[in-house]
Amino acid sequence: VGPPLTHDDLQKKKDKAAEKKRRQRARQKEKKAREKAQAEETERQQREEEERKKQKEDAKRIRDGLKPKTSLATNVCDYCQKVCKGKKRSQMFQRLDYVYCSSECVQKHKRELMASAALARLG
């Protein structure tokens, strides 16, 4: 057993413990900042991906002769943009990647697609 601790030795020990605690808090703060930055980055990437997906979908709709979607509802006719109340998307008429409120909309869009394909072949 060594000699008893002096006042200076106790002060050094306290200072060392306090410095260790400060370093630990600083590491925690840095870790939290990194996690926050990483979360913001993934959120930003997801927003960009959603935006690209929406632009791609809108471009496809325009290419197929349809207007860009105006409503956020899922049960909207892709041809006439009418919201079909009381119907789920799975209960609506479906053709290719589109859903329609009636068989009439299916036929009208089918005719438009055939006409635009014919124009593309001819000229």
Side-chain angles (χ1 to χ4, degrees), residues 102-113:
S102 65
S103 59
E104 184 179 328
C105 283
V106 174
Q107 293 303 318
K108 286 180 181 178
H109 188 222
K110 183 178 175 183
R111 281 189 217 108
E112 277 189 17
L113 289 175

Side-chain angles (χ1 to χ4, degrees), residues 8-45:
D8 290 340
D9 292 336
L10 290 173
Q11 188 62 36
K12 285 180 185 177
K13 198 172 189 180
K14 283 183 183 178
D15 290 345
K16 188 176 179 182
E19 182 61 31
K20 184 177 179 182
K21 192 81 160 174
R22 276 194 293 274
R23 285 194 310 265
Q24 183 180 12
R25 285 188 184 136
R27 280 195 306 271
Q28 286 176 344
K29 194 173 184 180
E30 289 173 8
K31 182 180 178 185
K32 197 171 186 179
R34 278 195 310 270
E35 289 174 353
K36 184 177 179 182
Q38 187 177 10
E40 288 174 354
E41 178 66 21
T42 53
E43 186 178 324
R44 183 187 61 80
Q45 287 176 347

Side-chain angles (χ1 to χ4, degrees), residues 91-122:
Q91 296 171 325
M92 297 171 70
F93 294 92
Q94 296 180 0
R95 182 173 180 275
L96 303 173
D97 293 333
Y98 303 105
V99 292
Y100 306 95
C101 60
S102 65
S103 59
E104 184 179 328
C105 283
V106 174
Q107 293 303 318
K108 286 180 181 178
H109 188 222
K110 183 178 175 183
R111 281 189 217 108
E112 277 189 17
L113 289 175
M114 290 186 339
S116 65
L119 285 175
R121 279 194 307 269
L122 295 176

Side-chain angles (χ1 to χ4, degrees), residues 56-101:
K56 195 174 186 180
E57 185 179 311
D58 285 346
K60 184 179 186 300
R61 292 177 61 79
I62 290 169
R63 195 173 52 245
D64 290 344
L66 298 174
K67 300 172 193 159
K69 282 193 175 184
T70 55
S71 175
L72 297 176
T74 58
N75 57 344
V76 176
C77 177
D78 283 328
Y79 184 73
C80 67
Q81 302 292 313
K82 187 172 90 177
V83 176
C84 301
K85 293 182 179 170
K87 281 189 177 181
K88 295 180 186 172
R89 191 169 174 88
S90 61
Q91 296 171 325
M92 297 171 70
F93 294 92
Q94 296 180 0
R95 182 173 180 275
L96 303 173
D97 293 333
Y98 303 105
V99 292
Y100 306 95
C101 60

